[in-house]
Amino acid sequence: MTLYAGIAFRYRTVDFDARAHVAADALDPVWPIDYAELRPYYEELERRMGVARLPGADPLEPPSDPAVLPPHEYSPQGLLIAKAGGRLGRLPFPTPLAINSLPYGGRPACHCCGPCNEHLCPTGARADARSPFIDVPLPPGALTVALGSKAVHIGLGNVSRADSVEWLDTVTSQRARVRARCVVLTGNAVQSAALLLRSAQSAAPNGIGNATGMVGSGISFKISGYVSGSTTLDRLPARSPGGPFSTVAMSDHYLDDEAPSGLGGMIYEASPAEQAVCDGTIALRLHFLAADQPMRKNTVRLANSRDRLGLQKIILEYWTHPLDKRRLGYLSRRASELLAEAGVKKVDYQDSNYQFGRGHLHGGCRAGVDPTESVVDRWGRVHDIDNLYVADGGFFPYSGGVNPTFTIQANALRIARRIATQLA
Ligand SMILES: Cc1cc2nc3c(=O)[nH]c(=O)nc-3n(C[C@H](O)[C@H](O)[C@H](O)COP(=O)(O)OP(=O)(O)OC[C@H]3O[C@@H](n4cnc5c(N)ncnc54)[C@H](O)[C@@H]3O)c2cc1C
């Protein structure tokens, strides 16, 4: 998670059942689990990582334990955005961040040094995928990390059991195979689907878990965009601009009767890396994002041509649904109003290129109760395969309207605990 701003929202109740808000031609968006089932894992992760937030400030926030860290102060840009939001009758709140606002977990407090979205945190104030579990003792030899390796094929011992994984050293192109009691895929929504497809064999001629053609189907990215512009300052801010990347958010349009089909999304500060007060002006930028419809024809599939490692290349087929295009336009207008209220005279729109799958990846190994319409069950277990699991964003039958990583982590922890119990 080098590419990560630490934004750590929990999914909202509607994200687990968005039937009332999706188009008639969308795949079933209902998760086989609800917030209550995921909540203990969010709580545990929050304690382990340290999430800084202000409970009760976000009107749509689901119930939670008290926060372990106080929220970050608004940045100078965040303060201008929050004040503008307040004047427009919106309800700004501090963005929940897996970035220390105080020293926590042996890591220092953030000192707002600047860009933290596309860089490693130089001080370690931001939590990452590893830090929550760094203190978990493991017996010697219990874990081997094979750097530079790529899993390329899962072997089935019989129609209902995986028994091996073949992997490739991406430097030497050497292949090797490991025997497995249990196989867990966490390659991300695109790569895990591709691995199942690349694992075609006589017991699974179209790829593992793909008897009904659902592997890869329903891939979704989350529609999003940016608006930005400069505003004039009356006086110099109390502190110079700097990180974190986002300090203020608004969920006013998440559930919004005026938004297409009643569902908008989140708007939050996304301050550019090059932050400075220049000639009495300061740059403001907002990110707006919402869930995209899970569509059958949006899919991951394999090409006939091969990459430099000799693997079949991945093809992503993705069209934004017309309803989502309208939703994106709606959110863009709401975000632009905010900037105008903050004094921005010329608001620029910036594409996020979400349609290339560069940020948030979901679906492709969709979870569900109906094996003909999904790939994995509520535990992330591939239907009909006893010991093969998917524990990344591929599980998500609906992408939800907020940043996904905290939910990917919570769900992965839930699945891991289940597997540990089963193997014990
Ligand atoms: C600029 C940017 C900022 C972001 N900020 C946020 C944020 O603030 N909050 C948030 O919630 N989300 C954020 N995201 C999204 C976040 O990065 C992803 O949700 C998250 O990384 C997904 O985690 P993952 O472990 O499922 O997948 P990944 O992070 O993609 O990790 C998958 C890993 O599996 C490895 N892998 C893949 N295939 C194979 C294979 N066949 N064999 C072996 N290994 C394999 C990959 O090399 C990779 O290391 C951001 C994304 C971007 C691009």
Side-chain angles (χ1 to χ4, degrees), residues 1 3-7 117-118 149-151 186-188 191 195 358-360 392-393 403-406 408:
M1 294 194 311
L3 297 174
Y4 176 59
I7 298 172
N117 187 31
E118 303 193 2
S149 62
K150 189 172 176 88
T186 60
N188 79 33
Q191 294 293 339
L195 180 53
R358 68 172 291 274
H360 300 174
D392 53 32
N403 315 52
T405 308
F406 197 23
I408 294 174

Side-chain angles (χ1 to χ4, degrees), residues 189-190 216-221 292 295 298-300 316-318 362-364:
V190 172
S217 191
I219 193 88
S220 47
F221 299 139
D292 49 354
M295 302 304 297
N298 286 346
T299 192
V300 177
L316 274 180
E317 291 183 347
Y318 179 86
H362 330 83

Side-chain angles (χ1 to χ4, degrees), residues 125-323:
R126 188 182 70 197
D128 57 25
R130 215 166 32 103
S131 51
F133 294 97
I134 204 120
D135 60 343
V136 176
L138 286 173
L143 177 69
T144 304
V145 178
L147 289 175
S149 62
K150 189 172 176 88
V152 292
H153 191 271
I154 300 160
L156 295 176
N158 59 50
V159 283
S160 63
R161 267 196 97 70
D163 69 354
S164 63
V165 175
E166 186 176 349
W167 58 275
L168 181 69
D169 184 316
T170 55
V171 178
T172 63
S173 292
Q174 295 289 310
R175 287 187 180 232
R177 186 183 294 270
V178 281
R179 310 278 310 165
R181 268 176 81 197
C182 178
V183 178
V184 186
L185 309 189
T186 60
N188 79 33
V190 172
Q191 294 293 339
S192 292
L195 180 53
L196 290 178
L197 294 173
R198 285 180 178 137
S199 301
Q201 53 203 282
S202 56
N206 298 318
I208 295 181
N210 199 29
T212 57
M214 289 305 290
V215 171
S217 191
I219 193 88
S220 47
F221 299 139
K222 206 163 285 144
I223 50 171
S224 70
Y226 297 92
V227 285
S228 62
S230 296
T231 189
T232 311
L233 291 164
D234 300 336
R235 56 189 136 88
L236 280 179
R239 75 159 165 90
S240 50
F245 173 77
S246 180
T247 61
V248 62
M250 283 165 241
S251 62
D252 306 79
H253 306 294
Y254 212 84
L255 285 174
D256 175 352
D257 290 342
E258 289 178 26
S261 81
L263 192 72
M266 198 59 91
I267 298 177
Y268 57 75
E269 174 199 4
S271 286
E274 57 294 341
Q275 300 160 19
V277 177
C278 186
D279 295 334
T281 66
I282 190 166
L284 303 182
R285 187 167 74 144
L286 292 171
H287 192 198
F288 46 92
L289 78 172
D292 49 354
Q293 320 268 315
M295 302 304 297
R296 195 178 298 275
K297 68 175 181 175
N298 286 346
T299 192
V300 177
R301 64 184 179 85
L302 298 181
N304 290 328
S305 55
R306 296 193 176 254
D307 64 16
R308 66 171 183 88
L309 297 171
L311 302 174
Q312 277 182 282
K313 287 183 181 167
I314 296 172
I315 296 177
L316 274 180
E317 291 183 347
Y318 179 86
W319 292 266
T320 304
H321 193 279
L323 177 59

Side-chain angles (χ1 to χ4, degrees), residues 24-72:
D25 53 345
L27 289 165
D28 180 5
V30 182
W31 285 51
I33 58 168
D34 59 11
Y35 175 74
E37 183 161 347
L38 218 44
R39 177 176 169 181
Y41 304 96
Y42 281 125
E43 308 295 3
E44 179 176 345
L45 279 168
E46 213 174 295
R47 286 192 301 275
R48 287 181 175 275
M49 296 196 299
V51 175
R53 63 183 176 95
L54 185 60
D58 170 2
L60 282 188
E61 185 184 64
S64 65
D65 289 357
V68 295
L69 282 170
H72 289 262

